[in-house]
Amino acid sequence: MELHDRPVELTDFLETSSRKLPELPPPDIHDAVIEAYKKDVDRTLLIANLRLTPEQRSQKFQSFMEMVYEVRHAGERMRASEAAKRELPRN
């Protein structure tokens, strides 16, 4: 019987969870690089996004991407219009 063919048992999870995880540094130690980036992060936006369901986050992303495509298409139309104006002969 191969590993993936045998049934999964609760003891399998207990064995893996009993492994020791690497120790984290104490919470009072501050990394200068992390602190430098923190000042530029709007935590209220992070919290607001975490309050959304995965479906709501997906809809928000889809709406954002639709806006990106609209802006991109508007830019293409504008560049095409400007190119057409330059090609017209002047009298």
Side-chain angles (χ1 to χ4, degrees):
M1 180 183 284
E2 292 186 36
L3 180 63
H4 63 277
D5 291 336
R6 72 180 180 84
V8 177
E9 297 181 20
L10 180 60
T11 55
D12 295 334
F13 295 109
L14 295 176
E15 289 170 4
T16 58
S17 66
S18 66
R19 291 185 203 151
K20 209 145 198 222
L21 296 174
E23 299 238 353
L24 296 174
D28 61 338
I29 293 179
H30 297 286
D31 186 343
V33 174
I34 291 173
E35 294 302 319
Y37 280 107
K38 273 185 177 179
K39 67 179 176 64
D40 297 324
V41 175
D42 185 349
R43 293 187 190 130
T44 59
L45 290 175
L46 292 174
I47 293 168
N49 272 324
L50 289 173
R51 286 187 178 141
L52 298 174
T53 66
E55 183 178 347
Q56 289 170 325
R57 285 185 221 146
S58 178
Q59 289 171 348
K60 188 176 179 180
F61 176 72
Q62 186 173 358
S63 174
F64 170 74
M65 290 307 296
E66 287 171 359
M67 187 265 312
V68 167
Y69 290 132
E70 287 176 21
V71 169
R72 185 177 293 164
H73 186 65
E76 289 170 357
R77 284 193 317 252
M78 184 183 72
R79 286 188 295 278
S81 172
E82 288 176 357
K85 286 178 186 176
R86 283 186 296 232
E87 292 176 6
L88 289 177
R90 294 185 182 177
N91 291 334

